[in-house]
């Protein structure tokens, strides 16, 4: 469906625009200020068509040139011939199209074409195909980034001997493999790491002899094809430690991504970071716990293979890390223990081209894990773009193996080495532009397609048909170009019937625009630099220099314009005497705003429509109280101290700092009615005072009780005497306790003696001596009783 014939020199007014059929209202917008040549643009929102009937009388006298904007059927119906309708087509030119090739000395072409130039008509989409073929033997760089916190002690022992297996696994993928090694723990500040000097040097348990000092991130080995170098450097590593469970893994990944020269990334290789850990990660904002407020700036800060800004710069955000990984074409494999698998799966959703694998408790399965994750990453091809200009849209339609169409935009899964897939790419430019470009590339792959965009924003009819100059259709003051009058200097208008002298047309048109807006506000026509206003719906006329005024649209009150108490003038009410308000709805009076002291709103508001509009928290009706304001008893305590007792912070400049308070010293009783304030001064004494707010926001009267309630000094004699008495009392109690214990012991012995006496039996042969024994026993009893 085709639209639009180009009007020249005149912008559509709102009236003409809204007179279009509904589909065209959403299709046409005239771009103005095109002088002397057929360079008028038609937009379908952002969709350009340029159709030009060369008929001189296609528009009637006084009819807007906007009638040239229409469908092909409507244009033909009005008498426009098919060969007089111009509709530019999109053009594309493939500037570079190297064939897909396998790896040769590490160089490989996996995507074609490599460069394409587009000449587009704004709003009209163009499609082209991009082919991708996964090449065998593509170079691979793998950087092994390991958590060396204490909980990874067993894992380090296994990693130290996995060099041979890891290289063997990479050799299955490519003959051009390199591997590097880095380690991380966390920032060496509290609360992440114990900052005791002894603990910083040896953060592990006392029994661990091989323990390296705490660190944030250390680059150990640059990418190398030598497995012996890898094993030798890894064996030199020892475990370290920190306090909290999350680690500084994002810090380490950011530095590994942006420090390209330090790591030794190859510009032609597939880049992999393998992160092994058994803990979560800190992210942006966590640095505040250690007082680190400077955000991560995504730059490299490696000195002597250590990240030197670890304790000065916050952790990166996940978004920052994802952007740098994608920018540097790095794919990530998270080799983590099962306890944090869910955490890293959520992280993987936010980082393009990443996979998560579960480590065994001692990392023995890490080689198999890396193989599986790499195969998953390499079999998924995702096409994306970068540096896309504004007002340009790109849509991807993948055609995967065997011609299968993927439902995922820009993604083909299960793509194996040697498989060729096609992506149908549709590009639409929504506005005019010149020499804009963007790139399309598979994620994690070096190959790119550069797309250059230019747009056709000029009508192609300048040389079509004979040019008669001057032409009678243009009042002998211009020539016909593309069916429209192109006026000579000093003349403007649809038929060049307006003489402007030495002025320029765009200057005349600008004089009909208010604040660079619509000509005559869409309510009139610009004729020779002046607005000729239309009539309103009620029959009256718009007026004003730009037809901006009318007297029919003012605010209503009680269903009457200006409340029936004024007249409408240019959209605003001019109230009769004695009335005010936006709709003249109020009587001019401040009677209801007056207070008992004859002030208006207590000086804390203004009176509008006979009602107080109070300032900052004060409440109607008279702005007397402010429930949300700070209690003046607290805010004025320093002034009370300096006014009443010549002490405190304002002692030296009391008259200036407290000029809003008038004070009175009282000895016996207060005369003011507000509540009594009691506050401590700078000397710790309690001051008693009353405050009453006068007219105004910060105007008070104070009464201050001359006597302060100061705390008495401690009684030294009483304290000493009490201490001595307490000691004596404690001593007496101890003596009594000892005496009691001795008594209880004696009593226990006596009772024991009594029991033994009862158990004794006397022989009959000694009967004559019974009285003597009895006498002896009685003597012993008396003796014990005397001791007791």
């Amino acid at each position: 469906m085709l639209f639009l014939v180009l009007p020249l020199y005149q912008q559509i007014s709102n009236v003409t625009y809204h007179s279009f059929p509904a589909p065209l209202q959403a299709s046409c917008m005239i771009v103005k200020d095109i002088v002397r040549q057929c360079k008028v643009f038609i937009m379908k929102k952002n969709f350009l068509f340029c159709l030009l009937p060369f008929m001189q009388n296609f528009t009637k006298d006084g009819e807007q040139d906007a009638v040239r904007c229409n469908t092909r059927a409507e244009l033909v119906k009005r008498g426009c011939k098919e060969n007089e309708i111009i509709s530019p087509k999109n053009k594309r030119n493939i500037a570079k199209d190297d064939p897909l090739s396998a790896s040769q000395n590490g160089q490989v072409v996996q995507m074609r074409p490599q460069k394409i130039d587009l000449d587009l008509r704004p709003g009209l989409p163009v499609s082209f195909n991009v082919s991708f073929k996964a090449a065998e033997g593509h170079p691979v760089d793998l950087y092994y980034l390991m958590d060396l916190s204490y909980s990874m002690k067993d894992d380090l022992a296994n990693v130290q001997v996995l060099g041979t297996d890891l290289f063997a696994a990479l050799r299955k993928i490519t003959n051009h493999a390199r591997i590097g090694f880095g380690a991380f723990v966390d920032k060496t500040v509290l609360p992440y790491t114990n900052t005791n000097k002894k603990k910083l040097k040896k953060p592990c348990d006392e029994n661990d002899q091989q323990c390296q000092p705490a660190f944030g991130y250390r680059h150990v080995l640059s990418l190398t094809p030598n497995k012996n170098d890898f094993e030798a450097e890894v064996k030199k590593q020892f475990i370290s430690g920190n306090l909290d469970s999350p680690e500084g893994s994002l810090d380490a990944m950011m530095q590994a991504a942006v420090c390209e020269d330090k790591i030794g990334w190859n510009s032609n290789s597939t880049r992999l970071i393998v992160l092994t850990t058994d803990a979560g990660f800190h992210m942006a904002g966590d640095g505040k716990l250690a007082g680190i407020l400077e955000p991560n700036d995504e730059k490299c800060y490696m000195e002597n293979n250590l990240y030197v800004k670890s304790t000065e710069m916050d952790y990166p955000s996940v978004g920052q890390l994802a952007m740098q990984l994608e920018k540097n074409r790095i794919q990530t494999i998270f080799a983590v223990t099962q306890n944090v698998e869910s955490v890293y799966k959520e992280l993987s959703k936010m980082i393009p081209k990443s996979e998560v694998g579960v480590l065994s408790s001692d990392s023995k399965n890490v080689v198999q894990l890396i193989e599986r994750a790499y195969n998953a990453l390499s079999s998924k091809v995702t096409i994306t773009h970068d540096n896309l200009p504004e007002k340009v849209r790109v849509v991807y339609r993948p055609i995967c193996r065997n011609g299968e169409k993927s439902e995922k935009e820009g993604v083909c899964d299960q793509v194996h080495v040697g498989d060729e897939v096609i992506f149908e790419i549709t590009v639409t430019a929504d506005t005019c532009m010149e020499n804009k470009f963007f790139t399309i590339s598979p994620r994690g792959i070096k190959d790119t397609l550069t797309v250059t965009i230019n747009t056709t924003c000029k009508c192609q009819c300048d040389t079509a048909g004979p040019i008669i100059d001057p032409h009678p259709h243009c009042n002998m003051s211009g020539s016909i170009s593309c069916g429209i009058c192109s006026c000579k200097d000093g003349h403007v208008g649809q038929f060049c019937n307006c003489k402007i002298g030495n002025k320029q047309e765009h200057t005349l048109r600008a004089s009909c625009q208010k604040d660079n807006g619509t000509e005559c506000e869409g309510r009139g026509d610009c004729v020779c630099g002046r607005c000729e206003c239309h009539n309103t719906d009620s029959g009256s006329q718009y007026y004003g220099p730009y037809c901006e005024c009318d007297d029919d649209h003012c605010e209503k009150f009680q269903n009457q314009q200006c409340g029936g108490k004024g007249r409408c003038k240019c959209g605003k009410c001019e109230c009769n005497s004695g009335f005010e308000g936006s709709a003249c709805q109020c009587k001019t009076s401040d009677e209801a705003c007056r207070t008992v002291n004859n002030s208006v709103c207590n000086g804390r508001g203004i009176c509008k429509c006979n009602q107080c509009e109070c300032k900052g928290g004060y409440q109607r009706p008279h702005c007397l109280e402010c429930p949300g304001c700070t209690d003046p008893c607290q805010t004025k305590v320093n002034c009370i101290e300096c006014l009443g007792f010549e002490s405190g912070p304002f002692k030296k400049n009391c008259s200036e700092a407290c000029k809003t308070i008038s004070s009175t010293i009282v000895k016996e009783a207060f005369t003011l009615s507000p509540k009594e304030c009691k506050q401590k001064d700078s000397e710790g004494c309690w001051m008693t005072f009353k405050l009453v707010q006068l007219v105004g926001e910060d105007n008070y009267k104070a009464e201050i009780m001359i006597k302060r309630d100061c705390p008495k000094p401690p009684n030294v004699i009483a304290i000493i005497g009490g201490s001595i008495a307490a000691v004596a009392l404690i001593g007496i109690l101890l003596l009594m306790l000892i005496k009691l214990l001795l008594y209880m012991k004696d009593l226990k012995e006596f009772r024991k003696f009594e029991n033994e006496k009862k158990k004794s039996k006397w022989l009959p042969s000694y009967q004559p001596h019974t009285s003597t024994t009895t006498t002896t026993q009685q003597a012993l009893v008396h003796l014990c009783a005397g001791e007791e």
Side-chain angles (χ1 to χ4, degrees):
M1 188 176 189
L2 295 177
F3 294 83
L4 319 179
V5 183
L6 298 184
L8 187 63
Y9 303 135
Q10 187 166 3
Q11 186 181 24
I12 294 180
S13 69
N14 287 351
V15 174
T16 305
Y17 178 82
H18 290 294
S19 66
F20 287 174
L24 291 182
Q25 291 182 19
S27 302
C28 302
M29 183 178 73
I30 311 302
V31 181
K32 58 181 180 179
D33 294 334
I34 307 302
V35 182
R36 298 192 175 287
Q37 299 180 20
C38 178
K39 294 180 181 178
V40 180
F41 308 97
I42 305 298
M43 297 290 192
K44 176 187 176 184
K45 287 189 178 176
N46 297 316
F47 199 100
L48 174 83
F49 291 91
C50 179
L51 294 81
L52 293 173
F54 304 134
M55 298 171 57
Q56 298 167 11
N57 296 316
F58 187 83
T59 55
K60 300 176 183 178
D61 189 16
E63 189 176 23
Q64 295 281 354
D65 281 326
V67 297
R68 296 175 181 266
C69 171
N70 219 316
T71 62
R72 181 182 292 273
E74 287 298 321
L75 292 175
V76 172
K77 184 178 179 180
R78 288 198 53 157
C80 183
K81 299 178 181 178
E82 287 284 350
N83 61 351
E84 294 176 341
I85 298 176
I86 295 178
S87 178
K89 304 296 182 182
N90 290 332
K91 298 177 183 178
R92 67 184 182 195
N93 174 48
I94 298 177
K96 185 177 181 181
D97 190 17
D98 295 339
L100 303 174
S101 64
S103 176
Q104 296 179 355
N105 299 323
Q107 300 296 323
V108 51
V109 178
Q110 298 185 95
M111 187 175 74
R112 62 177 297 194
Q114 293 80 41
K115 187 174 182 181
I116 188 168
D117 299 326
L118 301 178
D119 193 357
L120 303 180
R121 180 177 180 176
L124 188 64
V126 64
S127 297
F128 54 89
N129 289 344
V130 171
S131 300
F132 177 84
K133 186 176 182 180
E136 186 175 4
H138 192 266
V140 174
D141 285 348
L142 187 149
Y143 190 69
Y144 198 97
L145 192 56
M146 185 171 183
D147 175 7
L148 286 187
S149 59
Y150 191 77
S151 57
M152 296 287 285
K153 183 177 179 180
D154 294 340
D155 304 75
L156 177 60
N158 289 320
V159 172
Q160 288 173 336
V161 295
L162 63 73
T164 301
D165 293 340
L166 193 53
F167 269 94
L170 290 176
R171 289 284 186 263
K172 296 178 183 177
I173 301 169
T174 178
N175 292 325
H176 308 285
R178 299 187 306 159
I179 191 167
F181 188 82
F184 66 90
V185 183
D186 209 344
K187 297 182 183 295
T188 55
V189 291
L190 282 172
Y192 317 117
T193 304
N194 192 332
T195 54
N196 181 282
K197 289 185 179 181
K198 184 178 178 181
K199 278 294 185 181
L200 280 175
K201 291 181 179 179
K202 187 179 180 182
C204 311
D205 290 343
E206 294 295 332
N207 297 329
D208 290 298
Q209 298 301 319
Q210 295 181 330
C211 178
Q212 62 175 316
F215 64 95
Y217 161 65
R218 174 181 287 116
H219 169 56
V220 177
L221 176 67
S222 297
L223 291 162
T224 175
N226 193 321
K227 67 177 182 180
N228 295 327
D229 290 347
F230 177 80
E231 288 187 345
E233 289 299 324
V234 175
K235 285 179 180 178
K236 296 177 184 178
Q237 303 306 305
F238 299 115
I239 212 71
S240 187
N242 63 327
L243 292 176
D244 64 340
S245 177
E247 316 294 3
S249 48
L250 299 196
D251 259 349
M253 290 180 68
M254 176 63 77
Q255 291 301 299
V258 299
C259 297
E260 188 169 0
D261 295 337
K262 299 284 185 181
I263 306 300
W265 295 114
N266 188 332
S267 60
N268 297 320
S269 65
T270 297
R271 303 175 177 183
L272 297 174
I273 288 180
V274 177
L275 180 84
T276 58
T277 182
D278 63 350
F281 52 88
H282 285 295
M283 67 180 92
D286 287 355
K288 292 180 180 179
L289 295 173
I292 301 174
L293 303 179
E294 183 179 354
N296 196 288
D297 62 3
E298 305 172 40
K299 294 181 181 179
C300 180
Y301 293 103
M302 297 293 292
E303 294 181 12
N304 298 323
N305 289 335
L306 278 174
Y307 175 34
V308 294
K309 290 276 189 177
S310 176
T311 58
E312 301 174 26
M313 198 169 287
D314 197 4
Y315 302 94
S317 68
V318 174
Q320 286 178 307
L321 180 61
M323 184 175 65
Q324 287 299 331
L325 290 173
E326 186 170 17
K327 179 180 177 181
N328 292 282
R329 300 185 293 103
I330 297 174
Q331 305 176 52
T332 309
I333 298 173
F334 296 109
V336 299
T337 51
Q338 192 168 12
N339 61 306
V340 291
E341 179 188 7
S342 60
V343 174
Y344 282 89
K345 280 190 174 181
E346 291 299 316
L347 177 63
S348 178
K349 293 177 183 178
M350 295 180 276
I351 295 184
K353 293 291 282 186
S354 63
E355 286 289 330
V356 179
V358 178
L359 276 175
S360 60
S361 59
D362 54 4
S363 296
K364 284 186 177 180
N365 68 332
V366 68
V367 174
Q368 295 81 0
L369 185 154
I370 292 173
E371 280 190 85
R372 288 195 300 269
Y374 176 79
N375 291 333
L377 287 172
S378 59
S379 66
K380 182 178 180 180
V381 181
T382 304
I383 294 289
T384 186
H385 52 258
D386 197 12
N387 300 320
L388 189 69
E390 292 185 6
K391 304 295 184 181
V392 174
R393 291 175 283 131
V394 182
V395 177
Y396 302 96
R397 181 171 166 266
I399 303 173
C400 302
R401 294 188 308 161
N402 303 321
E404 297 176 359
K405 296 179 181 178
S406 173
E407 296 181 358
K408 301 177 182 178
E409 184 176 322
V411 178
C412 272
D413 293 318
Q414 302 301 319
V415 179
H416 305 299
V417 173
D419 292 343
E420 184 174 343
V421 294
I422 296 174
F423 293 88
E424 184 181 277
I425 301 175
T426 302
V427 179
T428 308
D430 290 331
T431 189
C432 297
M433 59 186 68
E434 290 185 8
N435 294 323
K436 299 291 184 181
F437 71 92
F438 65 98
T439 57
I440 295 174
S441 62
R443 278 182 177 159
I445 306 295
K446 176 194 172 186
D447 299 65
T448 59
L449 164 63
T450 301
V451 181
T452 304
I453 299 178
N454 287 284
T455 53
T456 301
C457 285
K458 294 183 179 180
C459 299
Q460 304 165 352
C461 70
D462 293 346
T463 58
I467 297 178
I468 303 175
D469 188 13
H471 200 285
H473 182 68
C474 304
N475 289 301
M476 304 306 292
S477 299
S479 59
I480 292 290
S481 176
C482 300
I484 302 173
C485 286
S486 178
C487 303
K488 295 181 179 179
D489 290 340
H491 294 79
V492 295
Q494 187 177 7
F495 304 111
C496 305
N497 53 348
C498 177
K499 296 181 181 181
I500 62 173
N502 58 359
K503 296 182 180 179
Q504 293 184 348
E505 182 191 6
H506 68 84
T507 304
L508 288 177
R509 292 196 173 280
S511 64
C512 292
Q513 299 170 8
K514 183 180 180 182
D515 300 327
N516 296 322
T518 307
E519 284 183 7
C520 304
E521 296 294 306
R523 299 171 173 179
D525 301 316
C526 186
V527 180
C528 290
R530 297 183 62 185
C531 288
E532 292 186 357
C533 301
H534 300 157
N535 290 336
T536 65
D537 295 337
S538 64
S540 60
Q541 193 173 36
Y542 294 105
Y543 62 95
Y546 308 102
C547 305
E548 74 275 16
C549 293
D550 73 87
D551 297 339
D552 296 336
H553 298 89
C554 282
E555 187 176 341
K556 292 184 177 182
F557 178 67
Q558 294 181 346
N559 206 31
Q560 289 184 309
Q561 191 162 259
C562 299
K565 303 296 192 297
R567 63 191 186 97
C568 184
K569 187 69 175 178
C570 196
K572 292 185 178 180
C573 289
E574 293 184 354
C575 301
N576 299 337
S577 178
F579 292 91
E580 62 180 349
S582 58
C584 304
Q585 72 273 27
C586 308
K587 291 184 178 180
T588 305
S589 172
D590 62 3
E591 181 180 352
C593 299
R594 291 281 174 181
T595 64
V596 292
N597 54 21
N598 204 32
S599 66
V600 176
C601 302
N602 277 302
R604 300 164 206 149
I606 56 175
C607 190
K608 285 187 177 181
C609 284
N610 209 21
Q611 280 189 332
C612 286
E613 290 189 358
C614 302
K615 299 177 182 178
Y618 289 95
Q619 292 187 340
R620 290 177 178 175
H622 296 117
C623 311
L624 182 62
E625 296 180 350
C626 182
C629 297
T630 307
D631 188 356
C633 289
Q634 299 177 15
T635 59
K636 303 300 180 183
V637 64
N638 290 332
C639 283
I640 295 298
E641 184 178 358
C642 78
L643 290 171
F645 307 101
E646 297 181 355
S647 61
F650 296 157
K651 178 180 178 181
K652 293 182 179 181
N653 63 335
C654 188
S655 58
E656 181 63 27
C658 304
K659 60 184 178 182
T660 60
I661 301 178
S662 57
S663 63
T664 303
I665 304 296
V666 296
K667 294 183 179 180
E668 300 297 335
F670 292 111
T671 60
L672 298 177
S673 58
K675 70 173 184 177
E676 187 177 289
C677 302
K678 198 167 185 178
Q679 297 288 330
K680 270 189 178 182
D681 61 13
S682 59
E683 298 174 358
C685 297
W686 289 96
M687 302 180 298
T688 307
F689 58 95
K690 284 192 175 186
L691 280 172
V692 61
Q693 190 172 12
L694 305 178
V695 175
E697 288 187 76
D698 191 17
N699 188 16
Y700 292 89
K701 181 179 180 181
E703 284 187 349
I704 308 168
M705 188 69 72
I706 193 170
K707 186 178 179 180
R708 291 184 290 182
D709 184 10
C710 297
K712 296 179 180 181
N715 190 332
V716 178
I717 297 175
I719 293 173
I720 295 173
S723 300
I724 294 172
V727 171
L729 180 60
I730 292 171
I732 293 171
L733 291 174
L734 287 173
L735 289 173
M736 293 178 68
L737 179 61
I738 293 169
K739 180 66 176 176
L740 178 62
L741 292 174
L742 291 173
Y743 172 77
M744 296 300 295
K745 181 180 179 183
D746 292 343
L747 183 60
K748 183 178 179 182
E749 291 291 331
F750 176 74
R751 287 177 177 171
K752 182 179 179 182
F753 173 76
E754 286 290 328
N755 290 332
E756 289 178 352
K757 184 183 69 171
K758 290 179 180 179
K759 294 178 182 178
S760 299
K761 293 183 178 180
W762 304 103
L763 295 174
S765 59
Y766 296 99
Q767 185 68 30
H769 302 283
T770 301
S771 60
T772 305
T773 305
T774 304
T775 306
T776 304
Q777 289 175 349
Q778 290 175 352
L780 286 172
V781 171
H782 288 301
L783 178 61
C784 291
E787 288 179 0
E788 186 177 351

